[in-house]
Amino acid sequence: MTNYTAALLLGALFATGASAADQAAVRPAGLTKYQQANTGSSLSFTFTQLDAASTGRFKTFSTELRYNEADPAQGSLVVRVMIDSLDTQDAERDGTLKSADLFDTAKYPAATFAANTLVRGPSGGLEAVGKLTIRGVSKDLRLPLALKPTANGMELSGQTTIKRLDFGVGQGEWRSTESVGDEVKIQYKVALVRASR
């Protein structure tokens, strides 16, 4: 079928009073925009320090999801994390993590993840395909997503593992992985509500 013929058929469809269902089949479904709710979300991390697992969390972060269940590839995900809000239940350790040799929050106050498409992963679940930026260093990342409808919107959850040294989180003596491991596991559960627009 030529493009010209297809255009004629499409025009005829609307000109002859096709049903709303028929028209919807021609037009792609719209995206629904979700934003992080004021409560009910968590973003935590686990790392190895002196051969023992240590945990922390980020108290301040924001999330925006655009999602079309019929066509996830249209979707997008943007997360912004205020690194200065980290909390490991140890004030001295928190200060060290914020220092210039690690996160350097004075120069790089926020980390971001930005994805402009969602795809099906090997296990059948969704993955947000984008870039994670920490300390001004951006790396490709496929972020696993589990999406569950809720009364007011959607719950997004999952976990992934990154290497801190890939992003320069470890300068000077902190480049060594003898006391602090390279791998960091990130766990997230985000309550999302439908945005007005």
Side-chain angles (χ1 to χ4, degrees):
M1 180 185 295
T2 67
N3 290 339
Y4 178 71
T5 303
L8 287 176
L9 289 174
L10 184 61
L13 174 66
F14 289 99
T16 56
S19 69
D22 289 336
Q23 294 184 24
V26 174
R27 294 195 304 266
L31 292 170
T32 301
K33 179 181 176 182
Y34 299 90
Q35 61 189 20
Q36 188 172 317
N38 292 330
T39 59
S41 298
S42 63
L43 176 60
S44 60
F45 56 94
T46 304
F47 60 99
T48 302
Q49 183 177 19
L50 299 176
D51 295 325
S54 297
T55 61
R57 66 186 179 114
F58 294 102
K59 296 184 287 186
T60 305
F61 61 101
S62 63
T63 308
E64 181 181 290
L65 172 72
R66 294 178 187 269
Y67 181 60
N68 178 356
E69 184 175 6
D71 187 4
Q74 291 187 34
S76 64
L77 177 67
V78 178
V79 182
R80 182 176 175 85
V81 182
M82 301 312 295
I83 301 296
D84 193 53
S85 73
L86 67 83
D87 178 15
T88 66
Q89 301 294 304
D90 183 321
E92 182 177 351
R93 179 167 58 192
D94 290 351
T96 300
L97 286 170
K98 296 174 187 180
S99 71
D101 281 344
L102 289 165
F103 280 111
D104 195 1
T105 57
K107 188 174 181 181
Y108 306 101
T112 59
F113 175 74
N116 60 11
T117 188
L118 308 180
V119 300
R120 294 290 175 188
S123 60
L126 284 175
E127 294 181 341
V129 181
K131 288 187 180 294
L132 175 63
T133 302
I134 303 174
R135 270 187 68 116
V137 178
S138 297
K139 298 287 184 180
D140 292 335
L141 179 65
R142 297 172 71 100
L143 192 70
L145 304 178
L147 296 177
K148 182 173 70 175
T150 62
N152 297 319
M154 193 84 68
E155 180 187 272
L156 179 159
S157 62
Q159 67 178 33
T160 192
T161 299
I162 63 173
K163 294 185 176 182
R164 64 180 179 88
L165 293 177
D166 286 349
F167 299 90
V169 182
Q171 303 293 312
E173 65 179 301
W174 294 106
R175 289 180 185 272
S176 172
T177 58
E178 290 184 6
S179 59
V180 177
D182 190 15
E183 291 192 345
V184 179
K185 181 182 290 185
I186 303 170
Q187 301 101 356
Y188 38 92
K189 184 171 74 171
V190 184
L192 299 166
V193 294
R194 294 180 184 87
S196 55
R197 278 314 294 169

